[in-house]
Amino acid sequence: MNFRNMLGIVLAAVVLFVLIQLIPYGHNHTNPPVSQEVQWDSPQTRDLAVRACYDCHSNQTVWPWYSNVAPVSWLIQHDVEEGRQYLNFSEWDKPQPKADRAADQVQRGEMPKSNYLPLHPSANLTPAEKDMLIQGLRATVGQK
C-alpha cells in the first residue's frame, strides 16, 4: 500500500469519526430528579454503592468528558439506561423487581462491569469493601 492510499484511509476515518459525532444518541446527559432514595442500612453501604454502582444505577450519574464522544458515548448511554431500568437507587418509590439480585451480582463479579473499572478506579473495591457492599445490599434491598 502506498502513501497516497494510506492518506486516503486516514482521511476517510477522520471524516467518519466527525460524522458519527452528529448522531444524537448518547448526548443527553440530564439526570432525572431523585424521587426517593433507598433507605440504606448504613452510611458505609451507601458510600460503597455510590462509588461502585451509582453512575449506572441512580439518577446521579457523573458524565465524564468522554461520554460526549461517539462511539464511546453510545456505550455509556446504553449502559446507564439499562442499569437504571434494572435497578435505580434514586427511584425507590417505583417498583425495583430485580433489586434482590444486586448482592449476588456483586458477589459473582458481574457488577460493576469490567469495562467500567479501568476509567473508574474508585469503583474497583477491595475484597473487604466488596464483602461490606454485599452484606449492605442484602440488608438494604434483600436477597433473591
Side-chain angles (χ1 to χ4, degrees):
M1 185 176 293
N2 63 34
F3 177 76
R4 188 176 185 149
N5 287 344
M6 283 296 286
L7 184 62
I9 291 170
V10 169
L11 183 59
V14 169
V15 168
L16 179 62
F17 179 78
V18 170
L19 286 176
I20 66 173
Q21 303 312 310
L22 301 175
I23 297 172
Y25 182 74
H27 296 288
N28 180 10
H29 296 155
T30 56
N31 286 326
V34 175
S35 57
Q36 181 181 338
E37 185 170 348
V38 64
Q39 296 300 306
W40 295 101
D41 73 312
S42 72
Q44 184 178 32
T45 301
R46 184 186 188 281
D47 290 344
L48 291 169
V50 167
R51 283 177 44 201
C53 312
Y54 262 47
D55 275 345
C56 292
H57 294 285
S58 81
N59 293 347
Q60 299 174 50
T61 302
V62 175
W63 299 97
W65 67 268
Y66 52 85
S67 67
N68 293 301
V69 181
V72 175
S73 61
W74 305 340
L75 175 64
I76 293 171
Q77 185 74 39
H78 173 268
D79 285 351
V80 170
E81 288 174 357
E82 184 177 58
R84 287 176 179 169
Q85 176 186 346
Y86 284 109
L87 174 63
N88 191 331
F89 293 119
S90 297
E91 296 184 351
W92 217 249
D93 53 334
K94 297 178 182 171
Q96 302 291 330
K98 298 188 180 187
D100 61 350
R101 298 178 185 174
D104 290 336
Q105 288 186 315
V106 172
Q107 189 169 35
R108 288 191 306 266
E110 295 172 7
M111 289 290 154
K113 287 186 171 185
S114 59
N115 65 347
Y116 178 78
L117 295 173
L119 294 173
H120 301 89
S122 66
N124 197 2
L125 304 178
T126 67
E129 290 172 326
K130 187 176 174 180
D131 287 342
M132 286 185 273
L133 178 60
I134 291 165
Q135 295 309 313
L137 286 169
R138 286 186 174 139
T140 300
V141 301
Q143 180 176 332
K144 184 178 174 186

